Amino acid sequence: MRDLVARTLKAERVRDGLISVAFVGEPTISKMNREFLSHAGSTDVISFGFRRTDNKSPVIGDIYICPQVARRNAREAGVAIKEELARLVVHGTLHVLGYDHPDADDRAKSKMWKRQERILDSAR
């Protein structure tokens, strides 16, 4: 996971970063989803990035991943859980860096999603 965060930061030309990755259960991610994003139910990943004071200051952020939701998503997508978890780490890191995507099915066409898949391809 650490290597994927580092690879993503490098791909985005970020020199310094402090990003934590935590794996949490469905009750925790559901609570966070409701409390911080005003969404009901569980989700696979939630990220928080802290505002940088300038381009020289380090990127700081937290990524929370729910393996149970990731496992279901992997099954639906027909991919291994390891691949899905890798996708969520890169996805979360890009969110910390300020990337965003639409919530609908169009998200796979977004700039962020395409960037995420390029980074994952380079990691294989």
Side-chain angles (χ1 to χ4, degrees):
M1 298 300 145
R2 179 179 43 228
D3 291 342
L4 287 166
V5 171
R7 181 180 292 274
T8 304
L9 293 175
K10 184 177 180 182
E12 294 300 308
R13 295 187 166 100
V14 174
R15 290 180 179 228
D16 294 319
L18 179 59
I19 298 178
S20 69
V21 178
F23 294 92
V24 299
E26 278 194 77
T28 300
I29 203 95
S30 293
K31 182 178 179 187
M32 292 175 74
N33 204 18
R34 182 178 58 255
E35 193 173 314
F36 297 109
L37 302 175
S38 300
H39 296 150
S42 59
T43 188
D44 50 6
V45 62
I46 295 177
S47 301
F48 301 99
F50 299 94
R51 187 179 311 270
R52 295 170 77 184
T53 55
D54 56 48
N55 285 341
K56 294 180 183 177
S57 62
V59 168
I60 301 173
D62 298 319
I63 301 168
Y64 298 89
I65 296 173
C66 182
Q68 294 90 347
V69 175
R71 189 172 290 110
R72 286 195 301 267
N73 292 348
R75 216 172 329 189
E76 288 176 19
V79 299
I81 183 66
K82 184 176 178 181
E83 180 180 338
E84 186 65 14
L85 290 172
R87 180 168 284 105
L88 294 176
V89 170
V90 173
H91 189 91
T93 304
L94 289 173
H95 272 308
V96 167
L97 294 174
Y99 280 84
D100 208 358
H101 57 78
D103 287 333
D105 294 335
D106 291 342
R107 73 184 193 165
K109 297 176 185 175
S110 71
K111 177 182 176 183
M112 177 184 173
W113 197 273
K114 290 175 183 173
R115 186 71 181 135
Q116 162 192 297
E117 295 305 309
R118 277 195 299 272
I119 293 167
L120 285 168
D121 286 344
S122 74
R124 291 184 180 121

